Amino acid sequence: MATGDLVPTHFPARRAAQVALHHLNTRHGSPFRVFGLQQVHKATAEDVGTGGRKYSLDFSVTDYGSSGSVLRCSADVLFPRTEKHSPPEVQLHCEGLQQISSSPEEEAFYQKHISPDSAVSAHDIPDSYGNISQDMKPFWHLARVAASFIMLRESSENTEYNMAQVANVSQQETSEKQLMLKYHVLLHDFVSQEIIHWKLLSSWSPDGGVRVLETEWQPKCPHATKPPSAN
């Protein structure tokens, strides 16, 4: 693989930036705040001995929640060299990110759905025409954030993951002051063009953020026992 300056629009730079994006979503995503990669401005790669391969990035992300703002970010993404798959290590800084805090929209959404009488259940988000209803957008955003925990963990130099669809979502009863959501998500690996199914249990509150409590890979073949990263 190339070292030194990389072409920002080419796969190696974009893949590393996508990993940094997953990291950003796991730290700062919410029902009304989820980030998408806008542009990679500059990227370099270097081998760091037996430690792995490090990518240094300058890129922009768009907040696809309610604000639509653009943030400039820098990141170092290290893909470790180990016999067993290890998640990439990410150091990230985004200008102005520290100014983003819990919004009135999030508080209102939480108060509306924390009641057991308003339990949500839905499937095929987006639908076959690519449509997402306004009521389902916060749950779509939460799925993208929760899926980012899986995509970050499963990423390597040979993958580029994005979430394609929520197959289904159902709100779970809980005694905690958290929204508890069970998702079945479809992840798309741009490199292999494979659609990978995962089930996950996640929770969210304005104070606690998004947490992923359980994950379960769904194999296509009944005899398969390990997710792609473990092969």
Side-chain angles (χ1 to χ4, degrees), residues 16-27 77-80 85-91 144-156 159 161 187 229:
Q18 196 74 15
V19 169
L21 178 70
H22 296 324
H23 176 86
L24 174 61
N25 275 324
T26 64
R27 298 302 190 274
V77 178
L78 176 67
F79 292 96
H85 172 77
S86 295
E89 299 171 12
V90 181
Q91 293 183 333
R144 287 190 61 177
V145 175
S148 288
F149 283 84
I150 297 175
M151 293 187 284
L152 178 61
R153 185 185 72 199
E154 298 295 310
S155 287
S156 71
T159 64
Y161 288 116
L187 307 184
S229 66

PDB file of all heavy atoms in Angstrom, residues 16-27 77-80 85-91 144-156 159 161 187 229:
ATOM      1  N   ALA A  16     -10.108   5.368   5.641  1.00  0.00           N
ATOM      2  CA  ALA A  16      -9.611   5.787   6.952  1.00  0.00           C
ATOM      3  C   ALA A  16     -10.491   6.897   7.533  1.00  0.00           C
ATOM      4  O   ALA A  16     -10.769   6.916   8.738  1.00  0.00           O
ATOM      5  CB  ALA A  16      -8.167   6.248   6.836  1.00  0.00           C
ATOM      6  N   ALA A  17     -10.946   7.827   6.672  1.00  0.00           N
ATOM      7  CA  ALA A  17     -11.826   8.888   7.150  1.00  0.00           C
ATOM      8  C   ALA A  17     -13.170   8.326   7.612  1.00  0.00           C
ATOM      9  O   ALA A  17     -13.767   8.826   8.578  1.00  0.00           O
ATOM     10  CB  ALA A  17     -12.040   9.923   6.047  1.00  0.00           C
ATOM     11  N   GLN A  18     -13.648   7.275   6.955  1.00  0.00           N
ATOM     12  CA  GLN A  18     -14.898   6.655   7.357  1.00  0.00           C
ATOM     13  C   GLN A  18     -14.764   6.033   8.751  1.00  0.00           C
ATOM     14  O   GLN A  18     -15.695   6.088   9.559  1.00  0.00           O
ATOM     15  CB  GLN A  18     -15.303   5.584   6.337  1.00  0.00           C
ATOM     16  CG  GLN A  18     -16.746   5.138   6.418  1.00  0.00           C
ATOM     17  CD  GLN A  18     -17.716   6.169   5.879  1.00  0.00           C
ATOM     18  OE1 GLN A  18     -17.336   7.105   5.191  1.00  0.00           O
ATOM     19  NE2 GLN A  18     -18.986   6.017   6.205  1.00  0.00           N
ATOM     20  N   VAL A  19     -13.604   5.469   9.044  1.00  0.00           N
ATOM     21  CA  VAL A  19     -13.355   4.922  10.380  1.00  0.00           C
ATOM     22  C   VAL A  19     -13.390   6.044  11.427  1.00  0.00           C
ATOM     23  O   VAL A  19     -13.995   5.904  12.494  1.00  0.00           O
ATOM     24  CB  VAL A  19     -12.005   4.186  10.423  1.00  0.00           C
ATOM     25  CG1 VAL A  19     -11.610   3.838  11.857  1.00  0.00           C
ATOM     26  CG2 VAL A  19     -12.072   2.921   9.572  1.00  0.00           C
ATOM     27  N   ALA A  20     -12.737   7.177  11.106  1.00  0.00           N
ATOM     28  CA  ALA A  20     -12.770   8.320  12.028  1.00  0.00           C
ATOM     29  C   ALA A  20     -14.197   8.817  12.213  1.00  0.00           C
ATOM     30  O   ALA A  20     -14.581   9.238  13.321  1.00  0.00           O
ATOM     31  CB  ALA A  20     -11.877   9.441  11.490  1.00  0.00           C
ATOM     32  N   LEU A  21     -14.998   8.758  11.154  1.00  0.00           N
ATOM     33  CA  LEU A  21     -16.402   9.166  11.236  1.00  0.00           C
ATOM     34  C   LEU A  21     -17.185   8.254  12.190  1.00  0.00           C
ATOM     35  O   LEU A  21     -17.987   8.735  13.000  1.00  0.00           O
ATOM     36  CB  LEU A  21     -17.030   9.129   9.849  1.00  0.00           C
ATOM     37  CG  LEU A  21     -18.510   9.484   9.758  1.00  0.00           C
ATOM     38  CD1 LEU A  21     -18.718  10.961  10.019  1.00  0.00           C
ATOM     39  CD2 LEU A  21     -19.074   9.094   8.398  1.00  0.00           C
ATOM     40  N   HIS A  22     -16.967   6.945  12.091  1.00  0.00           N
ATOM     41  CA  HIS A  22     -17.638   6.027  13.026  1.00  0.00           C
ATOM     42  C   HIS A  22     -17.271   6.375  14.468  1.00  0.00           C
ATOM     43  O   HIS A  22     -18.134   6.372  15.363  1.00  0.00           O
ATOM     44  CB  HIS A  22     -17.237   4.581  12.736  1.00  0.00           C
ATOM     45  CG  HIS A  22     -17.663   4.087  11.384  1.00  0.00           C
ATOM     46  ND1 HIS A  22     -18.843   4.462  10.794  1.00  0.00           N
ATOM     47  CD2 HIS A  22     -17.059   3.235  10.501  1.00  0.00           C
ATOM     48  CE1 HIS A  22     -18.961   3.868   9.606  1.00  0.00           C
ATOM     49  NE2 HIS A  22     -17.890   3.131   9.422  1.00  0.00           N
ATOM     50  N   HIS A  23     -16.000   6.666  14.693  1.00  0.00           N
ATOM     51  CA  HIS A  23     -15.534   7.056  16.024  1.00  0.00           C
ATOM     52  C   HIS A  23     -16.272   8.314  16.493  1.00  0.00           C
ATOM     53  O   HIS A  23     -16.726   8.391  17.647  1.00  0.00           O
ATOM     54  CB  HIS A  23     -14.030   7.302  15.983  1.00  0.00           C
ATOM     55  CG  HIS A  23     -13.453   7.792  17.274  1.00  0.00           C
ATOM     56  ND1 HIS A  23     -13.050   6.956  18.293  1.00  0.00           N
ATOM     57  CD2 HIS A  23     -13.198   9.058  17.712  1.00  0.00           C
ATOM     58  CE1 HIS A  23     -12.582   7.671  19.301  1.00  0.00           C
ATOM     59  NE2 HIS A  23     -12.658   8.952  18.970  1.00  0.00           N
ATOM     60  N   LEU A  24     -16.403   9.300  15.612  1.00  0.00           N
ATOM     61  CA  LEU A  24     -17.096  10.548  15.947  1.00  0.00           C
ATOM     62  C   LEU A  24     -18.548  10.276  16.326  1.00  0.00           C
ATOM     63  O   LEU A  24     -19.054  10.821  17.319  1.00  0.00           O
ATOM     64  CB  LEU A  24     -17.020  11.503  14.754  1.00  0.00           C
ATOM     65  CG  LEU A  24     -17.807  12.808  14.849  1.00  0.00           C
ATOM     66  CD1 LEU A  24     -17.320  13.659  16.022  1.00  0.00           C
ATOM     67  CD2 LEU A  24     -17.692  13.584  13.539  1.00  0.00           C
ATOM     68  N   ASN A  25     -19.227   9.431  15.559  1.00  0.00           N
ATOM     69  CA  ASN A  25     -20.630   9.140  15.856  1.00  0.00           C
ATOM     70  C   ASN A  25     -20.793   8.416  17.191  1.00  0.00           C
ATOM     71  O   ASN A  25     -21.757   8.661  17.919  1.00  0.00           O
ATOM     72  CB  ASN A  25     -21.246   8.309  14.725  1.00  0.00           C
ATOM     73  CG  ASN A  25     -21.749   9.174  13.588  1.00  0.00           C
ATOM     74  OD1 ASN A  25     -22.253  10.271  13.811  1.00  0.00           O
ATOM     75  ND2 ASN A  25     -21.631   8.687  12.359  1.00  0.00           N
ATOM     76  N   THR A  26     -19.862   7.513  17.524  1.00  0.00           N
ATOM     77  CA  THR A  26     -19.980   6.809  18.806  1.00  0.00           C
ATOM     78  C   THR A  26     -19.809   7.764  19.982  1.00  0.00           C
ATOM     79  O   THR A  26     -20.357   7.518  21.060  1.00  0.00           O
ATOM     80  CB  THR A  26     -18.950   5.669  18.935  1.00  0.00           C
ATOM     81  OG1 THR A  26     -17.616   6.210  18.941  1.00  0.00           O
ATOM     82  CG2 THR A  26     -19.102   4.650  17.818  1.00  0.00           C
ATOM     83  N   ARG A  27     -19.074   8.842  19.788  1.00  0.00           N
ATOM     84  CA  ARG A  27     -18.814   9.783  20.890  1.00  0.00           C
ATOM     85  C   ARG A  27     -19.858  10.895  20.981  1.00  0.00           C
ATOM     86  O   ARG A  27     -20.160  11.377  22.066  1.00  0.00           O
ATOM     87  CB  ARG A  27     -17.424  10.428  20.728  1.00  0.00           C
ATOM     88  CG  ARG A  27     -16.251   9.450  20.776  1.00  0.00           C
ATOM     89  CD  ARG A  27     -16.214   8.658  22.079  1.00  0.00           C
ATOM     90  NE  ARG A  27     -14.997   7.899  22.227  1.00  0.00           N
ATOM     91  CZ  ARG A  27     -14.789   6.679  21.738  1.00  0.00           C
ATOM     92  NH1 ARG A  27     -15.753   6.085  21.038  1.00  0.00           N
ATOM     93  NH2 ARG A  27     -13.646   6.042  21.940  1.00  0.00           N
ATOM     94  N   VAL A  77      -5.613   7.653  12.400  1.00  0.00           N
ATOM     95  CA  VAL A  77      -6.259   6.338  12.445  1.00  0.00           C
ATOM     96  C   VAL A  77      -5.180   5.281  12.292  1.00  0.00           C
ATOM     97  O   VAL A  77      -4.478   5.244  11.271  1.00  0.00           O
ATOM     98  CB  VAL A  77      -7.312   6.188  11.334  1.00  0.00           C
ATOM     99  CG1 VAL A  77      -7.930   4.786  11.369  1.00  0.00           C
ATOM    100  CG2 VAL A  77      -8.391   7.255  11.468  1.00  0.00           C
ATOM    101  N   LEU A  78      -5.031   4.439  13.310  1.00  0.00           N
ATOM    102  CA  LEU A  78      -4.026   3.377  13.282  1.00  0.00           C
ATOM    103  C   LEU A  78      -4.710   2.029  13.121  1.00  0.00           C
ATOM    104  O   LEU A  78      -5.566   1.653  13.935  1.00  0.00           O
ATOM    105  CB  LEU A  78      -3.205   3.382  14.581  1.00  0.00           C
ATOM    106  CG  LEU A  78      -2.178   2.241  14.724  1.00  0.00           C
ATOM    107  CD1 LEU A  78      -1.055   2.395  13.697  1.00  0.00           C
ATOM    108  CD2 LEU A  78      -1.631   2.188  16.138  1.00  0.00           C
ATOM    109  N   PHE A  79      -4.355   1.304  12.059  1.00  0.00           N
ATOM    110  CA  PHE A  79      -4.809  -0.069  11.879  1.00  0.00           C
ATOM    111  C   PHE A  79      -3.724  -0.989  12.432  1.00  0.00           C
ATOM    112  O   PHE A  79      -2.645  -1.111  11.840  1.00  0.00           O
ATOM    113  CB  PHE A  79      -5.046  -0.378  10.398  1.00  0.00           C
ATOM    114  CG  PHE A  79      -6.207   0.376   9.800  1.00  0.00           C
ATOM    115  CD1 PHE A  79      -6.006   1.556   9.103  1.00  0.00           C
ATOM    116  CD2 PHE A  79      -7.505  -0.105   9.925  1.00  0.00           C
ATOM    117  CE1 PHE A  79      -7.065   2.246   8.543  1.00  0.00           C
ATOM    118  CE2 PHE A  79      -8.578   0.578   9.369  1.00  0.00           C
ATOM    119  CZ  PHE A  79      -8.356   1.758   8.683  1.00  0.00           C
ATOM    120  N   PRO A  80      -3.969  -1.632  13.577  1.00  0.00           N
ATOM    121  CA  PRO A  80      -2.927  -2.458  14.211  1.00  0.00           C
ATOM    122  C   PRO A  80      -2.597  -3.686  13.363  1.00  0.00           C
ATOM    123  O   PRO A  80      -3.441  -4.204  12.626  1.00  0.00           O
ATOM    124  CB  PRO A  80      -3.557  -2.864  15.546  1.00  0.00           C
ATOM    125  CG  PRO A  80      -4.694  -1.944  15.761  1.00  0.00           C
ATOM    126  CD  PRO A  80      -5.184  -1.581  14.395  1.00  0.00           C
ATOM    127  N   HIS A  85      -7.953 -10.030  14.645  1.00  0.00           N
ATOM    128  CA  HIS A  85      -8.425  -8.693  14.298  1.00  0.00           C
ATOM    129  C   HIS A  85      -8.517  -7.811  15.539  1.00  0.00           C
ATOM    130  O   HIS A  85      -9.070  -8.207  16.564  1.00  0.00           O
ATOM    131  CB  HIS A  85      -9.792  -8.767  13.624  1.00  0.00           C
ATOM    132  CG  HIS A  85     -10.423  -7.423  13.415  1.00  0.00           C
ATOM    133  ND1 HIS A  85     -10.029  -6.572  12.406  1.00  0.00           N
ATOM    134  CD2 HIS A  85     -11.399  -6.775  14.105  1.00  0.00           C
ATOM    135  CE1 HIS A  85     -10.745  -5.464  12.471  1.00  0.00           C
ATOM    136  NE2 HIS A  85     -11.587  -5.561  13.495  1.00  0.00           N
ATOM    137  N   SER A  86      -7.963  -6.610  15.435  1.00  0.00           N
ATOM    138  CA  SER A  86      -8.086  -5.599  16.480  1.00  0.00           C
ATOM    139  C   SER A  86      -8.702  -4.348  15.873  1.00  0.00           C
ATOM    140  O   SER A  86      -8.372  -3.981  14.737  1.00  0.00           O
ATOM    141  CB  SER A  86      -6.726  -5.248  17.080  1.00  0.00           C
ATOM    142  OG  SER A  86      -6.169  -6.361  17.741  1.00  0.00           O
ATOM    143  N   PRO A  87      -9.602  -3.679  16.586  1.00  0.00           N
ATOM    144  CA  PRO A  87     -10.223  -2.471  16.037  1.00  0.00           C
ATOM    145  C   PRO A  87      -9.191  -1.379  15.783  1.00  0.00           C
ATOM    146  O   PRO A  87      -8.166  -1.307  16.469  1.00  0.00           O
ATOM    147  CB  PRO A  87     -11.209  -2.051  17.129  1.00  0.00           C
ATOM    148  CG  PRO A  87     -11.394  -3.250  17.982  1.00  0.00           C
ATOM    149  CD  PRO A  87     -10.121  -4.021  17.918  1.00  0.00           C
ATOM    150  N   PRO A  88      -9.447  -0.516  14.819  1.00  0.00           N
ATOM    151  CA  PRO A  88      -8.558   0.631  14.608  1.00  0.00           C
ATOM    152  C   PRO A  88      -8.541   1.538  15.837  1.00  0.00           C
ATOM    153  O   PRO A  88      -9.521   1.609  16.580  1.00  0.00           O
ATOM    154  CB  PRO A  88      -9.185   1.359  13.409  1.00  0.00           C
ATOM    155  CG  PRO A  88     -10.109   0.374  12.777  1.00  0.00           C
ATOM    156  CD  PRO A  88     -10.566  -0.530  13.866  1.00  0.00           C
ATOM    157  N   GLU A  89      -7.413   2.208  16.031  1.00  0.00           N
ATOM    158  CA  GLU A  89      -7.281   3.177  17.118  1.00  0.00           C
ATOM    159  C   GLU A  89      -7.398   4.574  16.513  1.00  0.00           C
ATOM    160  O   GLU A  89      -6.745   4.876  15.509  1.00  0.00           O
ATOM    161  CB  GLU A  89      -5.939   2.998  17.822  1.00  0.00           C
ATOM    162  CG  GLU A  89      -5.759   1.615  18.443  1.00  0.00           C
ATOM    163  CD  GLU A  89      -4.346   1.380  18.956  1.00  0.00           C
ATOM    164  OE1 GLU A  89      -3.580   2.375  19.037  1.00  0.00           O
ATOM    165  OE2 GLU A  89      -4.003   0.225  19.256  1.00  0.00           O
ATOM    166  N   VAL A  90      -8.236   5.417  17.106  1.00  0.00           N
ATOM    167  CA  VAL A  90      -8.548   6.728  16.518  1.00  0.00           C
ATOM    168  C   VAL A  90      -8.283   7.831  17.527  1.00  0.00           C
ATOM    169  O   VAL A  90      -8.722   7.761  18.679  1.00  0.00           O
ATOM    170  CB  VAL A  90     -10.019   6.794  16.059  1.00  0.00           C
ATOM    171  CG1 VAL A  90     -10.312   8.159  15.420  1.00  0.00           C
ATOM    172  CG2 VAL A  90     -10.335   5.669  15.067  1.00  0.00           C
ATOM    173  N   GLN A  91      -7.559   8.861  17.075  1.00  0.00           N
ATOM    174  CA  GLN A  91      -7.442  10.123  17.800  1.00  0.00           C
ATOM    175  C   GLN A  91      -8.062  11.193  16.913  1.00  0.00           C
ATOM    176  O   GLN A  91      -7.659  11.352  15.752  1.00  0.00           O
ATOM    177  CB  GLN A  91      -5.981  10.445  18.115  1.00  0.00           C
ATOM    178  CG  GLN A  91      -5.356   9.473  19.103  1.00  0.00           C
ATOM    179  CD  GLN A  91      -3.933   9.860  19.445  1.00  0.00           C
ATOM    180  OE1 GLN A  91      -3.231  10.485  18.671  1.00  0.00           O
ATOM    181  NE2 GLN A  91      -3.494   9.466  20.645  1.00  0.00           N
ATOM    182  N   ARG A 144     -27.923   4.506  13.252  1.00  0.00           N
ATOM    183  CA  ARG A 144     -26.633   4.797  12.626  1.00  0.00           C
ATOM    184  C   ARG A 144     -25.542   4.977  13.680  1.00  0.00           C
ATOM    185  O   ARG A 144     -24.407   4.527  13.492  1.00  0.00           O
ATOM    186  CB  ARG A 144     -26.727   6.048  11.742  1.00  0.00           C
ATOM    187  CG  ARG A 144     -27.484   5.832  10.452  1.00  0.00           C
ATOM    188  CD  ARG A 144     -27.350   7.009   9.519  1.00  0.00           C
ATOM    189  NE  ARG A 144     -25.965   7.250   9.126  1.00  0.00           N
ATOM    190  CZ  ARG A 144     -25.588   8.191   8.262  1.00  0.00           C
ATOM    191  NH1 ARG A 144     -26.504   8.971   7.702  1.00  0.00           N
ATOM    192  NH2 ARG A 144     -24.327   8.367   7.956  1.00  0.00           N
ATOM    193  N   VAL A 145     -25.886   5.641  14.764  1.00  0.00           N
ATOM    194  CA  VAL A 145     -24.910   5.831  15.838  1.00  0.00           C
ATOM    195  C   VAL A 145     -24.554   4.489  16.472  1.00  0.00           C
ATOM    196  O   VAL A 145     -23.374   4.165  16.652  1.00  0.00           O
ATOM    197  CB  VAL A 145     -25.452   6.807  16.895  1.00  0.00           C
ATOM    198  CG1 VAL A 145     -24.492   6.903  18.080  1.00  0.00           C
ATOM    199  CG2 VAL A 145     -25.676   8.187  16.280  1.00  0.00           C
ATOM    200  N   ALA A 146     -25.580   3.700  16.796  1.00  0.00           N
ATOM    201  CA  ALA A 146     -25.323   2.397  17.412  1.00  0.00           C
ATOM    202  C   ALA A 146     -24.544   1.488  16.472  1.00  0.00           C
ATOM    203  O   ALA A 146     -23.620   0.773  16.886  1.00  0.00           O
ATOM    204  CB  ALA A 146     -26.646   1.743  17.816  1.00  0.00           C
ATOM    205  N   ALA A 147     -24.900   1.509  15.181  1.00  0.00           N
ATOM    206  CA  ALA A 147     -24.179   0.690  14.196  1.00  0.00           C
ATOM    207  C   ALA A 147     -22.731   1.127  14.057  1.00  0.00           C
ATOM    208  O   ALA A 147     -21.864   0.317  13.709  1.00  0.00           O
ATOM    209  CB  ALA A 147     -24.883   0.750  12.843  1.00  0.00           C
ATOM    210  N   SER A 148     -22.443   2.399  14.341  1.00  0.00           N
ATOM    211  CA  SER A 148     -21.065   2.890  14.254  1.00  0.00           C
ATOM    212  C   SER A 148     -20.155   2.169  15.243  1.00  0.00           C
ATOM    213  O   SER A 148     -18.965   1.983  14.978  1.00  0.00           O
ATOM    214  CB  SER A 148     -21.008   4.406  14.494  1.00  0.00           C
ATOM    215  OG  SER A 148     -21.537   5.112  13.387  1.00  0.00           O
ATOM    216  N   PHE A 149     -20.705   1.753  16.393  1.00  0.00           N
ATOM    217  CA  PHE A 149     -19.907   0.981  17.348  1.00  0.00           C
ATOM    218  C   PHE A 149     -19.457  -0.335  16.710  1.00  0.00           C
ATOM    219  O   PHE A 149     -18.305  -0.759  16.883  1.00  0.00           O
ATOM    220  CB  PHE A 149     -20.728   0.687  18.604  1.00  0.00           C
ATOM    221  CG  PHE A 149     -20.879   1.847  19.545  1.00  0.00           C
ATOM    222  CD1 PHE A 149     -21.877   2.789  19.342  1.00  0.00           C
ATOM    223  CD2 PHE A 149     -20.035   1.995  20.633  1.00  0.00           C
ATOM    224  CE1 PHE A 149     -22.036   3.861  20.210  1.00  0.00           C
ATOM    225  CE2 PHE A 149     -20.177   3.061  21.507  1.00  0.00           C
ATOM    226  CZ  PHE A 149     -21.184   3.998  21.298  1.00  0.00           C
ATOM    227  N   ILE A 150     -20.370  -0.998  15.983  1.00  0.00           N
ATOM    228  CA  ILE A 150     -20.028  -2.247  15.300  1.00  0.00           C
ATOM    229  C   ILE A 150     -19.066  -1.980  14.153  1.00  0.00           C
ATOM    230  O   ILE A 150     -18.052  -2.673  13.991  1.00  0.00           O
ATOM    231  CB  ILE A 150     -21.297  -2.946  14.772  1.00  0.00           C
ATOM    232  CG1 ILE A 150     -22.215  -3.328  15.933  1.00  0.00           C
ATOM    233  CG2 ILE A 150     -20.934  -4.181  13.951  1.00  0.00           C
ATOM    234  CD1 ILE A 150     -23.549  -3.904  15.488  1.00  0.00           C
ATOM    235  N   MET A 151     -19.369  -0.974  13.323  1.00  0.00           N
ATOM    236  CA  MET A 151     -18.546  -0.702  12.147  1.00  0.00           C
ATOM    237  C   MET A 151     -17.133  -0.293  12.526  1.00  0.00           C
ATOM    238  O   MET A 151     -16.167  -0.667  11.856  1.00  0.00           O
ATOM    239  CB  MET A 151     -19.220   0.364  11.263  1.00  0.00           C
ATOM    240  CG  MET A 151     -20.515  -0.133  10.632  1.00  0.00           C
ATOM    241  SD  MET A 151     -21.255   1.014   9.427  1.00  0.00           S
ATOM    242  CE  MET A 151     -21.971   2.250  10.523  1.00  0.00           C
ATOM    243  N   LEU A 152     -16.999   0.466  13.620  1.00  0.00           N
ATOM    244  CA  LEU A 152     -15.668   0.830  14.102  1.00  0.00           C
ATOM    245  C   LEU A 152     -14.910  -0.411  14.552  1.00  0.00           C
ATOM    246  O   LEU A 152     -13.740  -0.605  14.209  1.00  0.00           O
ATOM    247  CB  LEU A 152     -15.794   1.830  15.251  1.00  0.00           C
ATOM    248  CG  LEU A 152     -14.502   2.293  15.914  1.00  0.00           C
ATOM    249  CD1 LEU A 152     -13.600   3.001  14.920  1.00  0.00           C
ATOM    250  CD2 LEU A 152     -14.811   3.204  17.108  1.00  0.00           C
ATOM    251  N   ARG A 153     -15.578  -1.261  15.304  1.00  0.00           N
ATOM    252  CA  ARG A 153     -14.941  -2.478  15.826  1.00  0.00           C
ATOM    253  C   ARG A 153     -14.545  -3.437  14.714  1.00  0.00           C
ATOM    254  O   ARG A 153     -13.496  -4.087  14.768  1.00  0.00           O
ATOM    255  CB  ARG A 153     -15.916  -3.167  16.780  1.00  0.00           C
ATOM    256  CG  ARG A 153     -15.362  -4.388  17.495  1.00  0.00           C
ATOM    257  CD  ARG A 153     -16.451  -5.046  18.307  1.00  0.00           C
ATOM    258  NE  ARG A 153     -17.436  -5.723  17.469  1.00  0.00           N
ATOM    259  CZ  ARG A 153     -18.657  -6.069  17.878  1.00  0.00           C
ATOM    260  NH1 ARG A 153     -19.063  -5.766  19.084  1.00  0.00           N
ATOM    261  NH2 ARG A 153     -19.473  -6.705  17.054  1.00  0.00           N
ATOM    262  N   GLU A 154     -15.359  -3.545  13.658  1.00  0.00           N
ATOM    263  CA  GLU A 154     -15.132  -4.524  12.604  1.00  0.00           C
ATOM    264  C   GLU A 154     -14.237  -4.004  11.475  1.00  0.00           C
ATOM    265  O   GLU A 154     -13.808  -4.779  10.621  1.00  0.00           O
ATOM    266  CB  GLU A 154     -16.482  -4.948  12.003  1.00  0.00           C
ATOM    267  CG  GLU A 154     -17.420  -5.627  12.983  1.00  0.00           C
ATOM    268  CD  GLU A 154     -16.881  -6.962  13.472  1.00  0.00           C
ATOM    269  OE1 GLU A 154     -16.477  -7.787  12.634  1.00  0.00           O
ATOM    270  OE2 GLU A 154     -16.851  -7.164  14.705  1.00  0.00           O
ATOM    271  N   SER A 155     -13.945  -2.721  11.430  1.00  0.00           N
ATOM    272  CA  SER A 155     -13.208  -2.133  10.311  1.00  0.00           C
ATOM    273  C   SER A 155     -11.758  -2.594  10.255  1.00  0.00           C
ATOM    274  O   SER A 155     -11.127  -2.850  11.286  1.00  0.00           O
ATOM    275  CB  SER A 155     -13.236  -0.596  10.397  1.00  0.00           C
ATOM    276  OG  SER A 155     -14.502  -0.094  10.072  1.00  0.00           O
ATOM    277  N   SER A 156     -11.257  -2.679   9.024  1.00  0.00           N
ATOM    278  CA  SER A 156      -9.848  -2.978   8.771  1.00  0.00           C
ATOM    279  C   SER A 156      -9.424  -2.189   7.543  1.00  0.00           C
ATOM    280  O   SER A 156     -10.214  -1.410   6.990  1.00  0.00           O
ATOM    281  CB  SER A 156      -9.651  -4.482   8.529  1.00  0.00           C
ATOM    282  OG  SER A 156     -10.188  -4.856   7.268  1.00  0.00           O
ATOM    283  N   THR A 159     -11.831  -2.909   4.421  1.00  0.00           N
ATOM    284  CA  THR A 159     -13.282  -2.713   4.508  1.00  0.00           C
ATOM    285  C   THR A 159     -13.616  -1.226   4.397  1.00  0.00           C
ATOM    286  O   THR A 159     -12.761  -0.363   4.623  1.00  0.00           O
ATOM    287  CB  THR A 159     -13.855  -3.235   5.827  1.00  0.00           C
ATOM    288  OG1 THR A 159     -13.298  -2.475   6.909  1.00  0.00           O
ATOM    289  CG2 THR A 159     -13.551  -4.715   6.034  1.00  0.00           C
ATOM    290  N   TYR A 161     -17.300   0.400   5.709  1.00  0.00           N
ATOM    291  CA  TYR A 161     -18.676   0.116   6.112  1.00  0.00           C
ATOM    292  C   TYR A 161     -19.550   1.370   6.145  1.00  0.00           C
ATOM    293  O   TYR A 161     -19.102   2.460   6.490  1.00  0.00           O
ATOM    294  CB  TYR A 161     -18.703  -0.502   7.514  1.00  0.00           C
ATOM    295  CG  TYR A 161     -18.201  -1.915   7.589  1.00  0.00           C
ATOM    296  CD1 TYR A 161     -17.050  -2.228   8.317  1.00  0.00           C
ATOM    297  CD2 TYR A 161     -18.875  -2.951   6.948  1.00  0.00           C
ATOM    298  CE1 TYR A 161     -16.593  -3.536   8.414  1.00  0.00           C
ATOM    299  CE2 TYR A 161     -18.423  -4.259   7.032  1.00  0.00           C
ATOM    300  CZ  TYR A 161     -17.285  -4.543   7.764  1.00  0.00           C
ATOM    301  OH  TYR A 161     -16.834  -5.836   7.840  1.00  0.00           O
ATOM    302  N   LEU A 187     -25.611  -3.697   7.227  1.00  0.00           N
ATOM    303  CA  LEU A 187     -24.397  -2.922   6.966  1.00  0.00           C
ATOM    304  C   LEU A 187     -23.860  -3.283   5.585  1.00  0.00           C
ATOM    305  O   LEU A 187     -23.812  -4.454   5.216  1.00  0.00           O
ATOM    306  CB  LEU A 187     -23.334  -3.201   8.031  1.00  0.00           C
ATOM    307  CG  LEU A 187     -23.772  -3.033   9.484  1.00  0.00           C
ATOM    308  CD1 LEU A 187     -22.588  -3.257  10.410  1.00  0.00           C
ATOM    309  CD2 LEU A 187     -24.398  -1.669   9.716  1.00  0.00           C
ATOM    310  N   SER A 229     -14.764 -10.067  10.127  1.00  0.00           N
ATOM    311  CA  SER A 229     -13.479  -9.590  10.664  1.00  0.00           C
ATOM    312  C   SER A 229     -12.707 -10.683  11.371  1.00  0.00           C
ATOM    313  O   SER A 229     -11.490 -10.575  11.545  1.00  0.00           O
ATOM    314  CB  SER A 229     -13.719  -8.423  11.624  1.00  0.00           C
ATOM    315  OG  SER A 229     -14.416  -8.875  12.767  1.00  0.00           O
TER     316      SER A 229
END
